[in-house]
Amino acid sequence: MEGVGGDAASVVAPLAKLRNDFTRTFQYYLDRSTPHMVQRWLGTLAVAAIYMLRVYYVQGFYIVSYGLGIYILNLLIGFLSPKIDPELEVLDGASLPTKGSDEFRPFVRRLPEFKFWYSITKAFCVAFLMTFFSLFDVPVFWPILLCYWVVLFVLTMKRQIMHMIKYRYVPFSIGKQRYTGKKSAASKGRIVD
């Protein structure tokens, strides 16, 4: 009887080691990709293009694409929203500045850029894999789904933009702010003899 338990443990141990090694290697490369934002997004664009080509050539899986679109819209809302929503949180000093005299606080996203990228990439990969199973190819009239998704996108973005205007935050920054020194007399248009 002892041999039976030992055999099962001897089979599980190499599988657990293999899974652990794969997870560690995957995490290593994921960590190395963190500072390379442009290359990561270009890779995701390539994955999205492959998915779209697959759906186009198969002429199906529109319900999978609709679900993918809804999921990406949900991720986009998390990416554009502040971590501490002034509408939902009790003002305890950790809110966004709403007046010009308020202290500047940097914008902290509810969903950071790296997690946003990783989630979108995983979603496209899962959707691509789903296109190989006819179970997910539900016959639907795709123009209706497209129109419904566009309406949903417009209404959601309108609500998000109104929230941004109401609480005066911009979820984007264009690099590091640069300060210039005082302008000299020559640069102000005065001629100095």
Side-chain angles (χ1 to χ4, degrees), residues 27-53:
Q27 189 63 45
Y28 170 76
Y29 285 112
L30 202 58
D31 291 344
R32 288 203 51 197
S33 73
T34 303
H36 306 289
M37 185 172 64
V38 174
Q39 291 85 352
R40 283 189 284 119
W41 282 103
L42 287 175
T44 299
L45 245 118
V47 170
I50 291 169
Y51 171 75
M52 286 188 270
L53 284 172

mmCIF file with all atom_site columns, all heavy atoms in Angstrom, residues 27-53:
data_model
loop_
_atom_site.group_PDB
_atom_site.id
_atom_site.type_symbol
_atom_site.label_atom_id
_atom_site.label_alt_id
_atom_site.label_comp_id
_atom_site.label_asym_id
_atom_site.label_entity_id
_atom_site.label_seq_id
_atom_site.pdbx_PDB_ins_code
_atom_site.Cartn_x
_atom_site.Cartn_y
_atom_site.Cartn_z
_atom_site.occupancy
_atom_site.B_iso_or_equiv
_atom_site.pdbx_formal_charge
_atom_site.auth_seq_id
_atom_site.auth_comp_id
_atom_site.auth_asym_id
_atom_site.auth_atom_id
_atom_site.pdbx_PDB_model_num
ATOM 1   N N   . GLN A 1 27 ? 7.296   34.635 -15.665 1.00 0.00 ? 27 GLN A N   1
ATOM 2   C CA  . GLN A 1 27 ? 7.315   35.848 -14.851 1.00 0.00 ? 27 GLN A CA  1
ATOM 3   C C   . GLN A 1 27 ? 8.596   36.647 -15.092 1.00 0.00 ? 27 GLN A C   1
ATOM 4   O O   . GLN A 1 27 ? 8.582   37.874 -15.115 1.00 0.00 ? 27 GLN A O   1
ATOM 5   C CB  . GLN A 1 27 ? 7.170   35.511 -13.367 1.00 0.00 ? 27 GLN A CB  1
ATOM 6   C CG  . GLN A 1 27 ? 6.976   36.718 -12.488 1.00 0.00 ? 27 GLN A CG  1
ATOM 7   C CD  . GLN A 1 27 ? 5.702   37.467 -12.798 1.00 0.00 ? 27 GLN A CD  1
ATOM 8   O OE1 . GLN A 1 27 ? 4.644   36.875 -12.971 1.00 0.00 ? 27 GLN A OE1 1
ATOM 9   N NE2 . GLN A 1 27 ? 5.796   38.782 -12.875 1.00 0.00 ? 27 GLN A NE2 1
ATOM 10  N N   . TYR A 1 28 ? 9.717   35.946 -15.298 1.00 0.00 ? 28 TYR A N   1
ATOM 11  C CA  . TYR A 1 28 ? 10.997  36.611 -15.579 1.00 0.00 ? 28 TYR A CA  1
ATOM 12  C C   . TYR A 1 28 ? 10.885  37.450 -16.851 1.00 0.00 ? 28 TYR A C   1
ATOM 13  O O   . TYR A 1 28 ? 11.265  38.619 -16.873 1.00 0.00 ? 28 TYR A O   1
ATOM 14  C CB  . TYR A 1 28 ? 12.100  35.561 -15.708 1.00 0.00 ? 28 TYR A CB  1
ATOM 15  C CG  . TYR A 1 28 ? 13.410  36.108 -16.220 1.00 0.00 ? 28 TYR A CG  1
ATOM 16  C CD1 . TYR A 1 28 ? 14.243  36.845 -15.387 1.00 0.00 ? 28 TYR A CD1 1
ATOM 17  C CD2 . TYR A 1 28 ? 13.806  35.899 -17.536 1.00 0.00 ? 28 TYR A CD2 1
ATOM 18  C CE1 . TYR A 1 28 ? 15.445  37.359 -15.851 1.00 0.00 ? 28 TYR A CE1 1
ATOM 19  C CE2 . TYR A 1 28 ? 14.997  36.407 -18.010 1.00 0.00 ? 28 TYR A CE2 1
ATOM 20  C CZ  . TYR A 1 28 ? 15.812  37.135 -17.174 1.00 0.00 ? 28 TYR A CZ  1
ATOM 21  O OH  . TYR A 1 28 ? 16.995  37.642 -17.642 1.00 0.00 ? 28 TYR A OH  1
ATOM 22  N N   . TYR A 1 29 ? 10.357  36.858 -17.918 1.00 0.00 ? 29 TYR A N   1
ATOM 23  C CA  . TYR A 1 29 ? 10.228  37.596 -19.176 1.00 0.00 ? 29 TYR A CA  1
ATOM 24  C C   . TYR A 1 29 ? 9.152   38.676 -19.101 1.00 0.00 ? 29 TYR A C   1
ATOM 25  O O   . TYR A 1 29 ? 9.285   39.729 -19.731 1.00 0.00 ? 29 TYR A O   1
ATOM 26  C CB  . TYR A 1 29 ? 9.965   36.632 -20.340 1.00 0.00 ? 29 TYR A CB  1
ATOM 27  C CG  . TYR A 1 29 ? 11.217  35.885 -20.723 1.00 0.00 ? 29 TYR A CG  1
ATOM 28  C CD1 . TYR A 1 29 ? 11.325  34.526 -20.501 1.00 0.00 ? 29 TYR A CD1 1
ATOM 29  C CD2 . TYR A 1 29 ? 12.316  36.545 -21.269 1.00 0.00 ? 29 TYR A CD2 1
ATOM 30  C CE1 . TYR A 1 29 ? 12.479  33.833 -20.827 1.00 0.00 ? 29 TYR A CE1 1
ATOM 31  C CE2 . TYR A 1 29 ? 13.476  35.873 -21.596 1.00 0.00 ? 29 TYR A CE2 1
ATOM 32  C CZ  . TYR A 1 29 ? 13.553  34.511 -21.378 1.00 0.00 ? 29 TYR A CZ  1
ATOM 33  O OH  . TYR A 1 29 ? 14.695  33.847 -21.694 1.00 0.00 ? 29 TYR A OH  1
ATOM 34  N N   . LEU A 1 30 ? 8.121   38.438 -18.340 1.00 0.00 ? 30 LEU A N   1
ATOM 35  C CA  . LEU A 1 30 ? 7.102   39.459 -18.140 1.00 0.00 ? 30 LEU A CA  1
ATOM 36  C C   . LEU A 1 30 ? 7.697   40.664 -17.410 1.00 0.00 ? 30 LEU A C   1
ATOM 37  O O   . LEU A 1 30 ? 7.446   41.814 -17.793 1.00 0.00 ? 30 LEU A O   1
ATOM 38  C CB  . LEU A 1 30 ? 5.949   38.865 -17.332 1.00 0.00 ? 30 LEU A CB  1
ATOM 39  C CG  . LEU A 1 30 ? 4.595   39.510 -17.419 1.00 0.00 ? 30 LEU A CG  1
ATOM 40  C CD1 . LEU A 1 30 ? 4.099   39.527 -18.858 1.00 0.00 ? 30 LEU A CD1 1
ATOM 41  C CD2 . LEU A 1 30 ? 3.614   38.785 -16.541 1.00 0.00 ? 30 LEU A CD2 1
ATOM 42  N N   . ASP A 1 31 ? 8.505   40.408 -16.394 1.00 0.00 ? 31 ASP A N   1
ATOM 43  C CA  . ASP A 1 31 ? 9.168   41.491 -15.662 1.00 0.00 ? 31 ASP A CA  1
ATOM 44  C C   . ASP A 1 31 ? 10.156  42.246 -16.551 1.00 0.00 ? 31 ASP A C   1
ATOM 45  O O   . ASP A 1 31 ? 10.278  43.463 -16.448 1.00 0.00 ? 31 ASP A O   1
ATOM 46  C CB  . ASP A 1 31 ? 9.888   40.944 -14.432 1.00 0.00 ? 31 ASP A CB  1
ATOM 47  C CG  . ASP A 1 31 ? 8.932   40.442 -13.365 1.00 0.00 ? 31 ASP A CG  1
ATOM 48  O OD1 . ASP A 1 31 ? 7.738   40.784 -13.425 1.00 0.00 ? 31 ASP A OD1 1
ATOM 49  O OD2 . ASP A 1 31 ? 9.379   39.685 -12.482 1.00 0.00 ? 31 ASP A OD2 1
ATOM 50  N N   . ARG A 1 32 ? 10.841  41.529 -17.410 1.00 0.00 ? 32 ARG A N   1
ATOM 51  C CA  . ARG A 1 32 ? 11.805  42.183 -18.313 1.00 0.00 ? 32 ARG A CA  1
ATOM 52  C C   . ARG A 1 32 ? 11.100  43.042 -19.349 1.00 0.00 ? 32 ARG A C   1
ATOM 53  O O   . ARG A 1 32 ? 11.702  43.988 -19.877 1.00 0.00 ? 32 ARG A O   1
ATOM 54  C CB  . ARG A 1 32 ? 12.671  41.140 -19.009 1.00 0.00 ? 32 ARG A CB  1
ATOM 55  C CG  . ARG A 1 32 ? 13.652  40.517 -18.034 1.00 0.00 ? 32 ARG A CG  1
ATOM 56  C CD  . ARG A 1 32 ? 14.852  39.917 -18.659 1.00 0.00 ? 32 ARG A CD  1
ATOM 57  N NE  . ARG A 1 32 ? 15.516  40.826 -19.569 1.00 0.00 ? 32 ARG A NE  1
ATOM 58  C CZ  . ARG A 1 32 ? 16.385  40.418 -20.475 1.00 0.00 ? 32 ARG A CZ  1
ATOM 59  N NH1 . ARG A 1 32 ? 16.682  39.152 -20.582 1.00 0.00 ? 32 ARG A NH1 1
ATOM 60  N NH2 . ARG A 1 32 ? 16.968  41.276 -21.273 1.00 0.00 ? 32 ARG A NH2 1
ATOM 61  N N   . SER A 1 33 ? 9.840   42.733 -19.677 1.00 0.00 ? 33 SER A N   1
ATOM 62  C CA  . SER A 1 33 ? 9.108   43.501 -20.685 1.00 0.00 ? 33 SER A CA  1
ATOM 63  C C   . SER A 1 33 ? 8.492   44.780 -20.118 1.00 0.00 ? 33 SER A C   1
ATOM 64  O O   . SER A 1 33 ? 8.044   45.632 -20.888 1.00 0.00 ? 33 SER A O   1
ATOM 65  C CB  . SER A 1 33 ? 8.010   42.641 -21.313 1.00 0.00 ? 33 SER A CB  1
ATOM 66  O OG  . SER A 1 33 ? 6.955   42.450 -20.399 1.00 0.00 ? 33 SER A OG  1
ATOM 67  N N   . THR A 1 34 ? 8.483   44.931 -18.823 1.00 0.00 ? 34 THR A N   1
ATOM 68  C CA  . THR A 1 34 ? 7.808   46.065 -18.192 1.00 0.00 ? 34 THR A CA  1
ATOM 69  C C   . THR A 1 34 ? 8.259   47.427 -18.714 1.00 0.00 ? 34 THR A C   1
ATOM 70  O O   . THR A 1 34 ? 7.412   48.257 -19.057 1.00 0.00 ? 34 THR A O   1
ATOM 71  C CB  . THR A 1 34 ? 7.965   45.994 -16.660 1.00 0.00 ? 34 THR A CB  1
ATOM 72  O OG1 . THR A 1 34 ? 7.437   44.747 -16.216 1.00 0.00 ? 34 THR A OG1 1
ATOM 73  C CG2 . THR A 1 34 ? 7.236   47.119 -15.968 1.00 0.00 ? 34 THR A CG2 1
ATOM 74  N N   . PRO A 1 35 ? 9.542   47.725 -18.814 1.00 0.00 ? 35 PRO A N   1
ATOM 75  C CA  . PRO A 1 35 ? 9.918   49.075 -19.276 1.00 0.00 ? 35 PRO A CA  1
ATOM 76  C C   . PRO A 1 35 ? 9.732   49.306 -20.778 1.00 0.00 ? 35 PRO A C   1
ATOM 77  O O   . PRO A 1 35 ? 9.808   50.439 -21.233 1.00 0.00 ? 35 PRO A O   1
ATOM 78  C CB  . PRO A 1 35 ? 11.392  49.192 -18.890 1.00 0.00 ? 35 PRO A CB  1
ATOM 79  C CG  . PRO A 1 35 ? 11.881  47.805 -18.748 1.00 0.00 ? 35 PRO A CG  1
ATOM 80  C CD  . PRO A 1 35 ? 10.704  46.969 -18.375 1.00 0.00 ? 35 PRO A CD  1
ATOM 81  N N   . HIS A 1 36 ? 9.455   48.290 -21.545 1.00 0.00 ? 36 HIS A N   1
ATOM 82  C CA  . HIS A 1 36 ? 9.357   48.411 -23.005 1.00 0.00 ? 36 HIS A CA  1
ATOM 83  C C   . HIS A 1 36 ? 7.896   48.533 -23.433 1.00 0.00 ? 36 HIS A C   1
ATOM 84  O O   . HIS A 1 36 ? 7.330   47.634 -24.054 1.00 0.00 ? 36 HIS A O   1
ATOM 85  C CB  . HIS A 1 36 ? 10.018  47.200 -23.670 1.00 0.00 ? 36 HIS A CB  1
ATOM 86  C CG  . HIS A 1 36 ? 11.417  46.968 -23.216 1.00 0.00 ? 36 HIS A CG  1
ATOM 87  N ND1 . HIS A 1 36 ? 12.456  47.796 -23.573 1.00 0.00 ? 36 HIS A ND1 1
ATOM 88  C CD2 . HIS A 1 36 ? 11.937  46.031 -22.391 1.00 0.00 ? 36 HIS A CD2 1
ATOM 89  C CE1 . HIS A 1 36 ? 13.567  47.363 -23.010 1.00 0.00 ? 36 HIS A CE1 1
ATOM 90  N NE2 . HIS A 1 36 ? 13.287  46.296 -22.287 1.00 0.00 ? 36 HIS A NE2 1
ATOM 91  N N   . MET A 1 37 ? 7.304   49.697 -23.117 1.00 0.00 ? 37 MET A N   1
ATOM 92  C CA  . MET A 1 37 ? 5.879   49.884 -23.325 1.00 0.00 ? 37 MET A CA  1
ATOM 93  C C   . MET A 1 37 ? 5.506   49.849 -24.812 1.00 0.00 ? 37 MET A C   1
ATOM 94  O O   . MET A 1 37 ? 4.533   49.188 -25.185 1.00 0.00 ? 37 MET A O   1
ATOM 95  C CB  . MET A 1 37 ? 5.430   51.216 -22.718 1.00 0.00 ? 37 MET A CB  1
ATOM 96  C CG  . MET A 1 37 ? 3.937   51.429 -22.786 1.00 0.00 ? 37 MET A CG  1
ATOM 97  S SD  . MET A 1 37 ? 3.350   52.858 -21.894 1.00 0.00 ? 37 MET A SD  1
ATOM 98  C CE  . MET A 1 37 ? 4.115   54.181 -22.748 1.00 0.00 ? 37 MET A CE  1
ATOM 99  N N   . VAL A 1 38 ? 6.236   50.516 -25.658 1.00 0.00 ? 38 VAL A N   1
ATOM 100 C CA  . VAL A 1 38 ? 5.891   50.576 -27.081 1.00 0.00 ? 38 VAL A CA  1
ATOM 101 C C   . VAL A 1 38 ? 5.964   49.186 -27.712 1.00 0.00 ? 38 VAL A C   1
ATOM 102 O O   . VAL A 1 38 ? 5.053   48.776 -28.441 1.00 0.00 ? 38 VAL A O   1
ATOM 103 C CB  . VAL A 1 38 ? 6.821   51.564 -27.822 1.00 0.00 ? 38 VAL A CB  1
ATOM 104 C CG1 . VAL A 1 38 ? 6.587   51.524 -29.321 1.00 0.00 ? 38 VAL A CG1 1
ATOM 105 C CG2 . VAL A 1 38 ? 6.629   52.972 -27.295 1.00 0.00 ? 38 VAL A CG2 1
ATOM 106 N N   . GLN A 1 39 ? 7.010   48.442 -27.396 1.00 0.00 ? 39 GLN A N   1
ATOM 107 C CA  . GLN A 1 39 ? 7.155   47.100 -27.959 1.00 0.00 ? 39 GLN A CA  1
ATOM 108 C C   . GLN A 1 39 ? 6.044   46.174 -27.462 1.00 0.00 ? 39 GLN A C   1
ATOM 109 O O   . GLN A 1 39 ? 5.537   45.340 -28.224 1.00 0.00 ? 39 GLN A O   1
ATOM 110 C CB  . GLN A 1 39 ? 8.526   46.501 -27.610 1.00 0.00 ? 39 GLN A CB  1
ATOM 111 C CG  . GLN A 1 39 ? 9.676   47.183 -28.297 1.00 0.00 ? 39 GLN A CG  1
ATOM 112 C CD  . GLN A 1 39 ? 10.186  48.411 -27.563 1.00 0.00 ? 39 GLN A CD  1
ATOM 113 O OE1 . GLN A 1 39 ? 9.593   48.877 -26.593 1.00 0.00 ? 39 GLN A OE1 1
ATOM 114 N NE2 . GLN A 1 39 ? 11.295  48.961 -28.044 1.00 0.00 ? 39 GLN A NE2 1
ATOM 115 N N   . ARG A 1 40 ? 5.649   46.314 -26.201 1.00 0.00 ? 40 ARG A N   1
ATOM 116 C CA  . ARG A 1 40 ? 4.567   45.494 -25.666 1.00 0.00 ? 40 ARG A CA  1
ATOM 117 C C   . ARG A 1 40 ? 3.272   45.762 -26.418 1.00 0.00 ? 40 ARG A C   1
ATOM 118 O O   . ARG A 1 40 ? 2.565   44.839 -26.812 1.00 0.00 ? 40 ARG A O   1
ATOM 119 C CB  . ARG A 1 40 ? 4.355   45.784 -24.171 1.00 0.00 ? 40 ARG A CB  1
ATOM 120 C CG  . ARG A 1 40 ? 5.382   45.155 -23.280 1.00 0.00 ? 40 ARG A CG  1
ATOM 121 C CD  . ARG A 1 40 ? 5.016   45.271 -21.817 1.00 0.00 ? 40 ARG A CD  1
ATOM 122 N NE  . ARG A 1 40 ? 5.242   46.619 -21.293 1.00 0.00 ? 40 ARG A NE  1
ATOM 123 C CZ  . ARG A 1 40 ? 4.297   47.399 -20.782 1.00 0.00 ? 40 ARG A CZ  1
ATOM 124 N NH1 . ARG A 1 40 ? 3.071   46.980 -20.674 1.00 0.00 ? 40 ARG A NH1 1
ATOM 125 N NH2 . ARG A 1 40 ? 4.583   48.600 -20.332 1.00 0.00 ? 40 ARG A NH2 1
ATOM 126 N N   . TRP A 1 41 ? 2.946   47.040 -26.614 1.00 0.00 ? 41 TRP A N   1
ATOM 127 C CA  . TRP A 1 41 ? 1.697   47.384 -27.286 1.00 0.00 ? 41 TRP A CA  1
ATOM 128 C C   . TRP A 1 41 ? 1.743   47.007 -28.762 1.00 0.00 ? 41 TRP A C   1
ATOM 129 O O   . TRP A 1 41 ? 0.702   46.651 -29.338 1.00 0.00 ? 41 TRP A O   1
ATOM 130 C CB  . TRP A 1 41 ? 1.370   48.860 -27.086 1.00 0.00 ? 41 TRP A CB  1
ATOM 131 C CG  . TRP A 1 41 ? 0.794   49.098 -25.735 1.00 0.00 ? 41 TRP A CG  1
ATOM 132 C CD1 . TRP A 1 41 ? 1.436   49.630 -24.648 1.00 0.00 ? 41 TRP A CD1 1
ATOM 133 C CD2 . TRP A 1 41 ? -0.519  48.745 -25.286 1.00 0.00 ? 41 TRP A CD2 1
ATOM 134 N NE1 . TRP A 1 41 ? 0.590   49.645 -23.565 1.00 0.00 ? 41 TRP A NE1 1
ATOM 135 C CE2 . TRP A 1 41 ? -0.623  49.115 -23.925 1.00 0.00 ? 41 TRP A CE2 1
ATOM 136 C CE3 . TRP A 1 41 ? -1.626  48.174 -25.894 1.00 0.00 ? 41 TRP A CE3 1
ATOM 137 C CZ2 . TRP A 1 41 ? -1.777  48.918 -23.184 1.00 0.00 ? 41 TRP A CZ2 1
ATOM 138 C CZ3 . TRP A 1 41 ? -2.776  47.972 -25.151 1.00 0.00 ? 41 TRP A CZ3 1
ATOM 139 C CH2 . TRP A 1 41 ? -2.846  48.355 -23.817 1.00 0.00 ? 41 TRP A CH2 1
ATOM 140 N N   . LEU A 1 42 ? 2.903   47.083 -29.392 1.00 0.00 ? 42 LEU A N   1
ATOM 141 C CA  . LEU A 1 42 ? 3.013   46.628 -30.778 1.00 0.00 ? 42 LEU A CA  1
ATOM 142 C C   . LEU A 1 42 ? 2.776   45.119 -30.863 1.00 0.00 ? 42 LEU A C   1
ATOM 143 O O   . LEU A 1 42 ? 2.129   44.640 -31.803 1.00 0.00 ? 42 LEU A O   1
ATOM 144 C CB  . LEU A 1 42 ? 4.380   46.989 -31.359 1.00 0.00 ? 42 LEU A CB  1
ATOM 145 C CG  . LEU A 1 42 ? 4.585   48.469 -31.672 1.00 0.00 ? 42 LEU A CG  1
ATOM 146 C CD1 . LEU A 1 42 ? 6.020   48.721 -32.138 1.00 0.00 ? 42 LEU A CD1 1
ATOM 147 C CD2 . LEU A 1 42 ? 3.594   48.941 -32.725 1.00 0.00 ? 42 LEU A CD2 1
ATOM 148 N N   . GLY A 1 43 ? 3.264   44.375 -29.894 1.00 0.00 ? 43 GLY A N   1
ATOM 149 C CA  . GLY A 1 43 ? 3.009   42.939 -29.845 1.00 0.00 ? 43 GLY A CA  1
ATOM 150 C C   . GLY A 1 43 ? 1.528   42.649 -29.665 1.00 0.00 ? 43 GLY A C   1
ATOM 151 O O   . GLY A 1 43 ? 0.971   41.744 -30.307 1.00 0.00 ? 43 GLY A O   1
ATOM 152 N N   . THR A 1 44 ? 0.867   43.415 -28.819 1.00 0.00 ? 44 THR A N   1
ATOM 153 C CA  . THR A 1 44 ? -0.567  43.238 -28.614 1.00 0.00 ? 44 THR A CA  1
ATOM 154 C C   . THR A 1 44 ? -1.339  43.585 -29.879 1.00 0.00 ? 44 THR A C   1
ATOM 155 O O   . THR A 1 44 ? -2.307  42.911 -30.227 1.00 0.00 ? 44 THR A O   1
ATOM 156 C CB  . THR A 1 44 ? -1.054  44.099 -27.433 1.00 0.00 ? 44 THR A CB  1
ATOM 157 O OG1 . THR A 1 44 ? -0.364  43.680 -26.262 1.00 0.00 ? 44 THR A OG1 1
ATOM 158 C CG2 . THR A 1 44 ? -2.544  43.965 -27.212 1.00 0.00 ? 44 THR A CG2 1
ATOM 159 N N   . LEU A 1 45 ? -0.904  44.619 -30.588 1.00 0.00 ? 45 LEU A N   1
ATOM 160 C CA  . LEU A 1 45 ? -1.536  44.960 -31.861 1.00 0.00 ? 45 LEU A CA  1
ATOM 161 C C   . LEU A 1 45 ? -1.389  43.819 -32.858 1.00 0.00 ? 45 LEU A C   1
ATOM 162 O O   . LEU A 1 45 ? -2.329  43.527 -33.611 1.00 0.00 ? 45 LEU A O   1
ATOM 163 C CB  . LEU A 1 45 ? -0.908  46.241 -32.431 1.00 0.00 ? 45 LEU A CB  1
ATOM 164 C CG  . LEU A 1 45 ? -1.892  47.383 -32.497 1.00 0.00 ? 45 LEU A CG  1
ATOM 165 C CD1 . LEU A 1 45 ? -1.400  48.503 -31.619 1.00 0.00 ? 45 LEU A CD1 1
ATOM 166 C CD2 . LEU A 1 45 ? -2.029  47.819 -33.908 1.00 0.00 ? 45 LEU A CD2 1
ATOM 167 N N   . ALA A 1 46 ? -0.221  43.172 -32.870 1.00 0.00 ? 46 ALA A N   1
ATOM 168 C CA  . ALA A 1 46 ? -0.013  42.027 -33.758 1.00 0.00 ? 46 ALA A CA  1
ATOM 169 C C   . ALA A 1 46 ? -0.948  40.876 -33.382 1.00 0.00 ? 46 ALA A C   1
ATOM 170 O O   . ALA A 1 46 ? -1.553  40.244 -34.262 1.00 0.00 ? 46 ALA A O   1
ATOM 171 C CB  . ALA A 1 46 ? 1.449   41.578 -33.698 1.00 0.00 ? 46 ALA A CB  1
ATOM 172 N N   . VAL A 1 47 ? -1.084  40.608 -32.095 1.00 0.00 ? 47 VAL A N   1
ATOM 173 C CA  . VAL A 1 47 ? -1.997  39.545 -31.633 1.00 0.00 ? 47 VAL A CA  1
ATOM 174 C C   . VAL A 1 47 ? -3.435  39.892 -32.011 1.00 0.00 ? 47 VAL A C   1
ATOM 175 O O   . VAL A 1 47 ? -4.191  39.026 -32.478 1.00 0.00 ? 47 VAL A O   1
ATOM 176 C CB  . VAL A 1 47 ? -1.849  39.329 -30.107 1.00 0.00 ? 47 VAL A CB  1
ATOM 177 C CG1 . VAL A 1 47 ? -2.939  38.428 -29.567 1.00 0.00 ? 47 VAL A CG1 1
ATOM 178 C CG2 . VAL A 1 47 ? -0.480  38.767 -29.778 1.00 0.00 ? 47 VAL A CG2 1
ATOM 179 N N   . ALA A 1 48 ? -3.819  41.155 -31.861 1.00 0.00 ? 48 ALA A N   1
ATOM 180 C CA  . ALA A 1 48 ? -5.180  41.583 -32.215 1.00 0.00 ? 48 ALA A CA  1
ATOM 181 C C   . ALA A 1 48 ? -5.405  41.435 -33.720 1.00 0.00 ? 48 ALA A C   1
ATOM 182 O O   . ALA A 1 48 ? -6.489  41.018 -34.150 1.00 0.00 ? 48 ALA A O   1
ATOM 183 C CB  . ALA A 1 48 ? -5.411  43.027 -31.772 1.00 0.00 ? 48 ALA A CB  1
ATOM 184 N N   . ALA A 1 49 ? -4.400  41.779 -34.526 1.00 0.00 ? 49 ALA A N   1
ATOM 185 C CA  . ALA A 1 49 ? -4.528  41.645 -35.979 1.00 0.00 ? 49 ALA A CA  1
ATOM 186 C C   . ALA A 1 49 ? -4.687  40.179 -36.377 1.00 0.00 ? 49 ALA A C   1
ATOM 187 O O   . ALA A 1 49 ? -5.506  39.853 -37.249 1.00 0.00 ? 49 ALA A O   1
ATOM 188 C CB  . ALA A 1 49 ? -3.315  42.254 -36.670 1.00 0.00 ? 49 ALA A CB  1
ATOM 189 N N   . ILE A 1 50 ? -3.934  39.304 -35.741 1.00 0.00 ? 50 ILE A N   1
ATOM 190 C CA  . ILE A 1 50 ? -4.057  37.864 -36.023 1.00 0.00 ? 50 ILE A CA  1
ATOM 191 C C   . ILE A 1 50 ? -5.459  37.384 -35.658 1.00 0.00 ? 50 ILE A C   1
ATOM 192 O O   . ILE A 1 50 ? -6.083  36.626 -36.406 1.00 0.00 ? 50 ILE A O   1
ATOM 193 C CB  . ILE A 1 50 ? -2.962  37.070 -35.275 1.00 0.00 ? 50 ILE A CB  1
ATOM 194 C CG1 . ILE A 1 50 ? -1.601  37.371 -35.887 1.00 0.00 ? 50 ILE A CG1 1
ATOM 195 C CG2 . ILE A 1 50 ? -3.248  35.580 -35.295 1.00 0.00 ? 50 ILE A CG2 1
ATOM 196 C CD1 . ILE A 1 50 ? -0.436  36.860 -35.072 1.00 0.00 ? 50 ILE A CD1 1
ATOM 197 N N   . TYR A 1 51 ? -5.967  37.834 -34.520 1.00 0.00 ? 51 TYR A N   1
ATOM 198 C CA  . TYR A 1 51 ? -7.326  37.455 -34.112 1.00 0.00 ? 51 TYR A CA  1
ATOM 199 C C   . TYR A 1 51 ? -8.349  37.950 -35.131 1.00 0.00 ? 51 TYR A C   1
ATOM 200 O O   . TYR A 1 51 ? -9.253  37.205 -35.532 1.00 0.00 ? 51 TYR A O   1
ATOM 201 C CB  . TYR A 1 51 ? -7.644  38.001 -32.717 1.00 0.00 ? 51 TYR A CB  1
ATOM 202 C CG  . TYR A 1 51 ? -9.096  37.814 -32.357 1.00 0.00 ? 51 TYR A CG  1
ATOM 203 C CD1 . TYR A 1 51 ? -9.577  36.561 -31.997 1.00 0.00 ? 51 TYR A CD1 1
ATOM 204 C CD2 . TYR A 1 51 ? -9.997  38.870 -32.425 1.00 0.00 ? 51 TYR A CD2 1
ATOM 205 C CE1 . TYR A 1 51 ? -10.917 36.375 -31.698 1.00 0.00 ? 51 TYR A CE1 1
ATOM 206 C CE2 . TYR A 1 51 ? -11.328 38.688 -32.130 1.00 0.00 ? 51 TYR A CE2 1
ATOM 207 C CZ  . TYR A 1 51 ? -11.775 37.445 -31.769 1.00 0.00 ? 51 TYR A CZ  1
ATOM 208 O OH  . TYR A 1 51 ? -13.101 37.246 -31.486 1.00 0.00 ? 51 TYR A OH  1
ATOM 209 N N   . MET A 1 52 ? -8.231  39.213 -35.536 1.00 0.00 ? 52 MET A N   1
ATOM 210 C CA  . MET A 1 52 ? -9.195  39.764 -36.489 1.00 0.00 ? 52 MET A CA  1
ATOM 211 C C   . MET A 1 52 ? -9.127  39.043 -37.835 1.00 0.00 ? 52 MET A C   1
ATOM 212 O O   . MET A 1 52 ? -10.171 38.796 -38.459 1.00 0.00 ? 52 MET A O   1
ATOM 213 C CB  . MET A 1 52 ? -8.962  41.267 -36.656 1.00 0.00 ? 52 MET A CB  1
ATOM 214 C CG  . MET A 1 52 ? -9.440  42.063 -35.457 1.00 0.00 ? 52 MET A CG  1
ATOM 215 S SD  . MET A 1 52 ? -9.387  43.829 -35.710 1.00 0.00 ? 52 MET A SD  1
ATOM 216 C CE  . MET A 1 52 ? -7.752  44.193 -35.121 1.00 0.00 ? 52 MET A CE  1
ATOM 217 N N   . LEU A 1 53 ? -7.931  38.694 -38.281 1.00 0.00 ? 53 LEU A N   1
ATOM 218 C CA  . LEU A 1 53 ? -7.804  37.920 -39.516 1.00 0.00 ? 53 LEU A CA  1
ATOM 219 C C   . LEU A 1 53 ? -8.467  36.552 -39.378 1.00 0.00 ? 53 LEU A C   1
ATOM 220 O O   . LEU A 1 53 ? -9.138  36.089 -40.302 1.00 0.00 ? 53 LEU A O   1
ATOM 221 C CB  . LEU A 1 53 ? -6.326  37.759 -39.896 1.00 0.00 ? 53 LEU A CB  1
ATOM 222 C CG  . LEU A 1 53 ? -5.654  38.983 -40.494 1.00 0.00 ? 53 LEU A CG  1
ATOM 223 C CD1 . LEU A 1 53 ? -4.149  38.741 -40.644 1.00 0.00 ? 53 LEU A CD1 1
ATOM 224 C CD2 . LEU A 1 53 ? -6.270  39.318 -41.845 1.00 0.00 ? 53 LEU A CD2 1
#
